Amino acid sequence: MSTVVPFRALRPAPEVASRVAAVPYDVVNVEEARALANGNPLSFLRVSRAEIDLPAGTDPYADAVYGRAVTNFEALKTAAPMALEDEPSLYVYRLEMAGHVQTGVAGCFLLDDYDGDTIKKHERTRRDKEDDRTRHILELRAQTGPVFLTYPVSGAIDEVVRCVTTDQALMDFVATDGIRHTIWRVPANLTSALVAAFESVPALYIADGHHRAASAARVREQLHAQAGSGEWDTFLAVAFPGNQMNVLPYNRVVRDLGSHTPASLLGALRDQFDVKEGPATPARAGHVSMFLDGRWYTIDLGEAPADLSADERLDVSRLQALVLTPLLGIGDVRSDKRIDFIGGARGTAALESMVNSGTAAVAFSMYPVSVADLMRISDAGGIMPPKSTWFEPKLRDGLLSHVID
């Protein structure tokens, strides 16, 4: 059984929502964040990445950054303005991008469910990133970046969501990247039906936002010890049905070929796999496209052995085990500086550009992991390899915040 909890959202006035809304803090570096917020004093990046308002080179984990985040948050509440809803509510959040539409339910979800694995994980988290968002939540006394959840399709949830979206939207705008964001408040007469519909969902799955969820759990642990139960017992998230999710590949680039030349690497690959020229995008699972020395090749990894676990059968795992480690000497991808990861939203042209410019020596374009794979691995208690999935479009920070005072 899954539980969704109405909450009193802190939200911007609808007429300034597009200026407040910001991409998730962890999909941009400091230079990109500074450029996105340039000329926009209302950008929520000034809260989620407050180092952009401090001198270049400032340590993003410095005390001054968290202090500035609090100052900017308080200023934004007045300048936007941002209002705290009088009554707890649920919301419906729709994303539209290039013909793709996905509609989810925004609310708070129980950290008891997270701890008890009703809300399932598939990714390991890094302590330093947890430390950062834990402190960010504690300093702001608010969860400002929603976790991205998915769940098996539910006709009961779909029906309530359909009813909600026939009413006038609370916020509706197209962001500068062309993605449309529409949010409705669920009326009181439909809230209980939506809560009941979620109770029939056997499990929820974290698609994106493992560090946000883990940080919320750490905040809860600290505040529960000090003050008992409170708003910190839940975390902010938007849950989408699995059949609406848009999963893009997470591609790989390697900076050098190690002991190989382009010709010797190609020869070593052909000794082991069926390798043919083209195309830039793999046609199916089990195929990996490689850009090397100005040309695209398709590497057919073949059938995965039956004795491999679900996570080991993923193309990213097999590429690592069969190519990146033995042929290119790439070890732990979490720490090896010779490999980098490029979200599928940037397209294969970005891979070609990196190789052609000499920034990388070889690029690998992956076939996307399916939501079914994610759920199957999570159900088995498995851990997906780092940088396996890229979900697009992204939710925006700052539109619905959860105050935990």
Side-chain angles (χ1 to χ4, degrees):
M1 185 180 81
S2 301
T3 303
V4 62
V5 181
F7 72 109
R8 295 176 63 203
L10 178 70
R11 60 172 181 81
E15 61 269 20
V16 298
S18 63
R19 296 177 62 199
V20 173
V23 296
Y25 78 98
D26 53 352
V27 302
V28 289
N29 60 35
V30 65
E31 292 81 10
E32 292 166 333
R34 187 175 285 117
L36 286 171
N38 185 42
N40 179 11
L42 300 184
S43 172
F44 206 81
L45 283 168
R46 301 188 187 282
V47 177
S48 60
R49 296 294 298 267
E51 62 268 30
I52 68 175
D53 284 340
L54 296 172
T58 298
D59 180 354
Y61 305 143
D63 292 346
V65 173
Y66 301 100
R68 189 57 176 261
V70 172
T71 299
N72 289 353
F73 193 36
E74 294 305 313
L76 182 61
K77 291 176 186 178
T78 301
M82 300 183 76
L84 185 64
E85 298 283 17
D86 293 331
E87 299 294 333
S89 299
L90 297 175
Y91 298 83
V92 169
Y93 189 152
R94 175 172 289 165
L95 295 164
E96 298 180 54
M97 179 188 75
H100 170 81
V101 180
Q102 60 188 72
T103 308
V105 175
C108 283
F109 295 81
L110 299 182
L111 283 163
D112 278 348
D113 287 350
Y114 174 83
D115 292 338
D117 210 32
T118 299
I119 298 174
K120 297 179 180 290
K121 310 92 173 166
H122 67 260
E123 181 180 302
R124 292 190 178 94
T125 55
R126 284 173 40 188
R127 187 72 180 189
D128 59 335
K129 293 183 69 174
E130 279 188 33
D131 289 345
D132 170 48
R133 287 303 105 172
T134 298
R135 184 169 179 185
H136 197 266
I137 295 169
L138 286 169
E139 296 281 355
L140 268 60
R141 307 299 282 192
Q143 300 161 355
T144 60
V147 176
F148 198 135
L149 301 175
T150 189
Y151 59 89
V153 175
S154 162
I157 294 176
D158 288 348
E159 179 58 25
V160 178
V161 166
R162 186 194 64 78
C163 292
V164 172
T165 57
T166 61
D167 288 339
Q168 184 174 355
L170 181 66
M171 297 178 236
D172 189 3
F173 63 91
V174 177
T176 55
D177 57 4
I179 297 171
R180 184 178 181 183
H181 301 259
T182 311
I183 296 178
W184 294 262
R185 186 192 293 112
V186 178
N189 65 313
L190 291 176
T191 297
S192 59
L194 193 51
V195 170
F198 266 92
E199 289 176 353
S200 298
V201 173
L204 296 161
Y205 300 81
I206 297 178
D208 203 2
H210 284 80
H211 287 92
R212 294 183 186 90
S215 299
R218 285 179 56 185
V219 168
R220 178 209 189 187
E221 183 178 358
Q222 293 185 42
L223 295 184
H224 201 273
Q226 298 170 16
S229 297
E231 287 291 330
W232 46 82
D233 290 328
T234 63
F235 68 96
L236 177 65
V238 184
F240 293 90
N243 65 340
Q244 294 182 20
M245 298 285 282
N246 186 38
V247 190
L248 300 181
Y250 224 141
N251 299 318
R252 276 93 169 110
V253 294
V254 179
R255 301 192 186 283
D256 62 72
L257 301 181
S259 61
H260 282 285
T261 64
S264 68
L265 176 61
L266 192 59
L269 289 167
R270 283 177 165 153
D271 287 343
Q272 189 173 353
F273 308 103
D274 181 15
V275 180
K276 298 177 180 177
E277 288 199 26
T281 302
R284 63 171 179 82
H287 283 185
V288 175
S289 294
M290 177 181 69
F291 190 67
L292 176 71
D293 203 23
R295 292 185 179 182
W296 280 104
Y297 300 88
T298 294
I299 305 170
D300 186 347
L301 298 176
E303 291 297 319
D307 59 349
L308 293 181
S309 63
D311 53 297
E312 291 172 332
R313 294 173 67 87
L314 294 176
D315 288 351
V316 289
S317 298
R318 300 184 66 214
L319 178 72
Q320 181 69 37
L322 300 174
V323 177
L324 298 183
T325 296
L327 298 183
L328 294 174
I330 300 296
D332 185 350
V333 295
R334 293 179 178 85
S335 58
D336 198 316
K337 302 300 183 185
R338 294 175 56 227
I339 190 169
D340 204 355
F341 305 90
I342 310 299
R346 292 180 60 184
T348 55
L351 304 180
E352 293 181 17
S353 177
M354 293 184 74
V355 174
N356 289 335
S357 69
T359 304
V362 62
F364 298 93
S365 171
M366 310 301 299
Y367 191 81
V369 173
S370 70
V371 172
D373 284 331
L374 183 153
M375 291 182 176
R376 183 162 47 249
I377 291 168
S378 299
D379 286 339
I383 298 296
M384 292 177 69
K387 311 297 185 182
S388 298
T389 53
W390 181 274
F391 294 93
E392 196 74 31
K394 302 287 187 186
L395 299 165
R396 289 298 191 268
D397 287 359
L399 295 177
L400 299 168
S401 295
H402 177 215
V403 177
I404 64 170
D405 271 340

